[in-house]
Amino acid sequence: MVKRTRFDDSDCPVARSVDAIGDWWSLLIVRDAFDGSRRFGEFQRSLGVAKNILSARLRALVAGGILETVPAAGGGAHNEYVLTDKGRDLFPVIVALRQWGEARFFAPGEPHSELTDRRDGRPLRPLRVYAQDGRPLTPDETVVSKVAEV
Amino acid sequence: MVKRTRFDDSDCPVARSVDAIGDWWSLLIVRDAFDGSRRFGEFQRSLGVAKNILSARLRALVAGGILETVPAAGGGAHNEYVLTDKGRDLFPVIVALRQWGEARFFAPGEPHSELTDRRDGRPLRPLRVYAQDGRPLTPDETVVSKVAEV
């Protein structure tokens, strides 16, 4: 296996996040966990990937503190996978990817899954980036300060 | 090279987005483009990856319509890379990854780069997911409708 480029000591939070997620489609496991998948077989059916590959990705997500294993809900012998608080904090990342996909990868009228408000079944508002004073910001209205003491 | 798992025909917008981004750290190229990098050498210095690997990733981002090449700003012979509208629409994804990283991968007081409002230098508001009626939503208050006609 090719040695992976690492960004875990970067001073950029984007880089550390990308590094922690690791293989990029691991986010689809996180998506499935948000959607209620808990068992190995549920993830496998959803993703259609080989069992050994899925096992490795699940182990990496557990090692990274994004998923944790818990005893099966029904008292069975197997473990199930649930999001930790750290994993649940990925919700805006998943929603942002979903909305980009909806806007850019589906033809008008093409069916797609949709994330909706459980209360009224309506789709969510598009995510927007806001300044502290509440102004919506475009990328050009922002600037990265390369290293800031916090 | 191992054949890549593909999700480009999924009915889930998250999957098509993940598929389009491709290699996991390609988002760091997108981040650098938001931060003003345009030249091959600028991306290379920022990322510290081998030239042939960076070339392949840049080509893939151009092929996917996320970056486009334009003649050099100063009239030089080389091309430069700039985000397309589709690429600029990744801004919430990058901001969401940044905020997750800030919250989860830095010790208190540990220096990190920061995305700020150009007008007043203050950091941005944390991204939140809102319902159509303006209520902030937790993951549990949302549900995925598996395939919806739009």
Side-chain angles (χ1 to χ4, degrees):
Chain A
M1 188 175 266
V2 180
K3 188 170 167 297
R4 218 181 93 194
T5 307
R6 296 302 304 249
F7 298 99
D8 53 348
D9 63 348
S10 170
D11 62 21
C12 172
V14 185
R16 289 200 194 178
S17 291
V18 165
D19 191 82
I21 292 164
D23 292 288
W24 186 237
W25 64 263
S26 289
L27 277 180
L28 298 183
I29 298 175
V30 173
R31 172 205 62 181
D32 285 344
F34 275 120
D35 295 353
S37 292
R38 297 169 63 100
R39 299 174 68 140
F40 187 90
E42 292 176 302
F43 293 109
Q44 220 237 324
R45 275 192 299 280
S46 168
L47 294 166
V49 296
K51 288 184 180 182
N52 61 328
I53 293 176
L54 178 59
S55 286
R57 299 294 187 282
L58 285 166
R59 270 199 306 277
L61 289 170
V62 170
I66 293 170
L67 293 177
E68 61 188 342
T69 55
V70 297
H78 65 285
N79 280 327
E80 296 183 343
Y81 297 89
V82 297
L83 291 164
T84 62
D85 287 345
K86 180 176 171 180
R88 287 167 56 87
D89 283 352
L90 280 168
F91 191 50
V93 174
I94 300 290
V95 172
L97 284 166
R98 169 176 290 280
Q99 293 182 340
W100 187 62
E102 287 174 344
R104 293 292 179 175
F105 295 104
F106 288 84
E110 186 179 359
H112 59 74
S113 73
E114 198 166 30
L115 187 64
T116 61
D117 182 352
R118 207 179 268 281
R119 187 184 292 184
D120 60 16
R122 295 163 75 193
L124 312 185
R125 279 194 192 172
L127 278 177
R128 296 195 69 172
V129 175
Y130 292 101
Q132 287 292 338
D133 62 15
R135 289 165 18 249
L137 291 175
T138 64
D140 296 338
E141 294 171 315
T142 66
V143 62
V144 171
S145 62
K146 275 303 180 187
V147 171
E149 300 285 340
V150 287
Chain B
M1 188 175 264
V2 180
K3 187 169 168 296
R4 217 180 96 195
T5 306
R6 297 302 302 252
F7 299 99
D8 54 348
D9 65 347
S10 170
D11 63 20
C12 172
V14 185
R16 290 201 193 177
S17 292
V18 165
D19 190 83
I21 292 163
D23 294 287
W24 61 283
W25 59 262
S26 288
L27 276 181
L28 299 183
I29 298 175
V30 173
R31 171 204 63 180
D32 285 344
F34 276 121
D35 295 353
S37 292
R38 298 170 61 100
R39 300 174 66 140
F40 186 91
E42 291 177 302
F43 293 108
Q44 220 238 324
R45 274 192 299 280
S46 168
L47 295 166
V49 294
K51 288 184 182 182
N52 61 328
I53 293 176
L54 178 59
S55 286
R57 297 296 187 281
L58 285 166
R59 269 199 307 275
L61 289 170
V62 170
I66 293 170
L67 294 177
E68 62 188 340
T69 53
V70 297
H78 64 285
N79 279 328
E80 295 183 344
Y81 296 90
V82 296
L83 291 163
T84 61
D85 286 344
K86 179 176 172 180
R88 287 167 57 88
D89 282 352
L90 281 166
F91 190 51
V93 174
I94 300 289
V95 172
L97 284 166
R98 169 177 290 280
Q99 293 182 340
W100 187 63
E102 287 174 345
R104 293 291 178 176
F105 296 102
F106 289 84
E110 186 181 357
H112 59 75
S113 74
E114 199 166 30
L115 187 64
T116 61
D117 183 352
R118 207 178 267 282
R119 188 185 292 185
D120 59 18
R122 295 163 75 194
L124 313 185
R125 280 196 189 170
L127 277 177
R128 295 195 70 174
V129 175
Y130 291 101
Q132 287 294 338
D133 62 15
R135 290 164 19 249
L137 292 175
T138 64
D140 296 338
E141 294 171 314
T142 65
V143 62
V144 171
S145 62
K146 274 305 181 186
V147 171
E149 299 284 338
V150 289

